[in-house]
Amino acid sequence: MLLEIKNLVKRYDEFLAVDNVSFSIKEGEILGLLGPNGAGKTTIINCIIGLNNIDSGSIKVFGKDLKSNELSIKKSIGLVTQKISLYYDLNAYDNVMYFGGIYGLRGKYLKECAEEILNFVGLWGDRKKSPEAFSGGMLRRLNIACGIVHKPKLIIMDEPTAGIDPKSRSHILGGIEKLNKEGVTVIYTSHYMEEVERLCSNIIILDQGRIIAKGNKDELKSMVSTEEKVRIKTSSLNYTMIDKIKQIYGVKECNINEEYIDIISKKGSKNLGKIIDMLVGSGIEIMDIAIDKPNIETVFLTLTGRSLRN
C-alpha cells in the first residue's frame, strides 16, 4: 500500500471535520475522492501533506509514518491545488524552475526536468510568456507542471480542470492517464463525474466528514441499482408481443414508446437473451439495443441527496 490512513480524526475547535476515516491506496491506483463542499476532502488532503495536525489516528505514506518522516515523504508528493498557485512576475519557465528548486532539484537536472514537464503539458513553446498572457486552460496546465516537476510518486490533484475549456480538459485528462501508466499514483477530486468515470479505478464518497461509500465503479453502482432498464428499437411493434415479454422471468414493466420497447427487469434477471430470442423468433427485426445503467452521478445523488456540482 502506498498510502494507509487509519481512524483519522480532525477537529477545528468543536467542529468535527474528519470523523474516524480509514482507507488505503495501492501503488499505481487513481483514487477518486468525492464529496459535497464541507465533506472533509480538503482537510484529509491537508493531513496527508502535513499541513494539518491530526487529533488521532495514523497516516502512513510509502510505508513510513508521516509524523516521524514528514520531510522525506513530502519530497515524493506532488500537489496540484484548485487555486492557481503561480508567481505572475515570473514567466512560465521560471515558475517551474522555482517550484522545482523548492523540491530540491538543482543545476542541470532541474533544467532537464523543467523542459520535460513543460513539453509534457504542452507549454514549452510558451515558456517565456508571463502567466498573465495565458488562457484559463494554459494556467491550469502550468499549475500542474509546477506541482509535479519533481516527478513525485504520489500526486494529489484537487479540481485540476475547474473552469477550463474542453480542449484543455482533454489534454489534462490524457496527461493524467499517461502518468498513471508510468506508475504514478493519483488522488483525484473533481465536480465533473465524467472525469471520475474515466480516470478513477476506485472511489470514496465522503459526507459530513465520514466515508459513506467506497469501492470500484461497478461496486458503487450496484449499491443503488435494483433494476435493469433496456430500450429496444424494432422494425414493428404490437401489444401481443408486449404481453409475451411481460411473462418472461424478471420483467417488471414493458411498454411501447413510439418505435421503442422499454423494459424494466429485476436486477440480476439475465433475461435479455430470452427477450431477443422471442422477438427474433416472431420475425421482428431488432434495430438497436440500449442498456440504461446507473452512473456515478446517480450513486452520489442517491447517497448524499445532493448533486456533486451543488
Side-chain angles (χ1 to χ4, degrees):
M1 292 296 173
L2 188 136
L3 171 68
E4 294 177 271
I5 294 178
K6 293 183 179 180
N7 306 119
L8 179 64
V9 174
K10 175 61 183 176
R11 292 182 175 88
Y12 296 103
D13 297 324
E14 298 301 316
F15 176 67
L16 184 57
V18 180
D19 185 5
N20 201 42
V21 164
S22 299
F23 66 89
S24 57
I25 305 175
K26 294 179 181 178
E27 186 174 358
E29 183 179 341
I30 301 181
L31 176 75
L33 196 60
L34 304 183
N37 291 334
K41 304 187 300 298
T42 301
T43 300
I44 291 172
I45 288 171
N46 287 341
C47 290
I48 294 170
I49 63 177
L51 286 181
N52 283 344
N53 293 321
I54 65 176
D55 292 299
S56 62
S58 65
I59 300 175
K60 283 187 177 181
V61 190
F62 315 124
K64 301 176 182 178
D65 180 69
L66 176 63
K67 190 173 182 180
S68 54
N69 299 276
E70 189 172 323
L71 187 59
S72 63
I73 287 172
K74 281 183 176 180
K75 289 181 179 180
S76 295
I77 296 178
L79 177 64
V80 179
T81 57
Q82 180 179 358
K83 183 178 179 181
I84 300 294
S85 303
L86 301 169
Y87 289 96
Y88 285 78
D89 54 343
L90 301 177
N91 62 32
Y93 181 78
D94 288 340
N95 263 283
V96 174
M97 290 286 286
Y98 175 78
F99 282 98
I102 288 177
Y103 282 106
L105 307 185
R106 297 289 184 269
K108 182 180 178 182
Y109 183 63
L110 171 58
K111 293 179 181 178
E112 289 173 351
C113 288
E115 181 175 352
E116 181 180 345
I117 198 62
L118 282 168
N119 273 309
F120 178 77
V121 298
L123 292 175
W124 178 249
D126 300 292
R127 63 190 180 279
K128 295 301 181 182
K129 293 182 180 179
S130 165
E132 292 182 344
F134 282 6
S135 67
M138 294 170 74
L139 286 172
R140 286 284 172 195
R141 284 185 274 152
L142 180 56
N143 200 48
I144 290 171
C146 291
I148 66 174
V149 61
H150 58 301
K151 300 181 179 180
K153 297 177 183 178
L154 171 64
I155 300 174
I156 301 172
M157 302 188 120
D158 189 9
E159 300 283 350
T161 64
I164 62 173
D165 60 277
K167 183 177 180 181
S168 293
R169 174 173 286 112
S170 178
H171 193 289
I172 289 172
L173 297 181
I176 294 169
E177 289 171 329
K178 185 176 180 181
L179 287 168
N180 184 242
K181 286 179 182 178
E182 294 171 355
V184 175
T185 306
V186 182
I187 299 175
Y188 193 84
T189 81
S190 177
H191 282 86
Y192 298 100
M193 286 300 188
E194 63 273 17
E195 295 181 2
V196 176
E197 291 263 10
R198 172 175 168 176
L199 293 176
C200 299
S201 46
N202 282 296
I203 297 166
I204 289 174
I205 299 178
L206 295 161
D207 197 19
Q208 297 181 341
R210 300 178 181 178
I211 293 177
I212 59 173
K214 60 182 176 180
N216 62 41
K217 286 170 279 192
D218 289 337
E219 289 169 341
L220 291 178
K221 291 172 185 177
S222 69
M223 292 174 61
V224 301
S225 176
T226 59
E227 297 176 334
E228 296 172 352
K229 300 178 182 179
V230 177
R231 167 168 279 198
I232 301 175
K233 185 177 182 179
T234 64
S235 58
S236 60
L237 298 172
N238 62 74
Y239 284 96
T240 300
M241 185 55 58
I242 296 299
D243 290 336
K244 288 182 179 179
I245 292 174
K246 288 180 178 179
Q247 301 306 311
I248 294 176
Y249 170 78
V251 173
K252 296 172 67 176
E253 292 183 34
C254 183
N255 299 294
I256 293 176
N257 186 358
E258 296 180 353
E259 72 265 45
Y260 297 95
I261 303 173
D262 289 331
I263 304 165
I264 299 177
S265 299
K266 294 178 183 178
K267 181 181 175 181
S269 298
K270 298 181 180 179
N271 56 14
L272 182 57
K274 291 182 179 179
I275 294 170
I276 292 172
D277 288 344
M278 179 178 286
L279 292 171
V280 173
S282 301
I284 296 175
E285 181 184 356
I286 295 175
M287 303 170 69
D288 185 47
I289 298 176
I291 300 174
D292 183 14
K293 295 183 178 180
N295 55 29
I296 298 301
E297 180 74 44
T298 305
V299 175
F300 190 88
L301 183 62
T302 302
L303 295 177
T304 68
R306 286 170 281 178
S307 170
L308 186 58
R309 294 188 188 181
N310 293 331

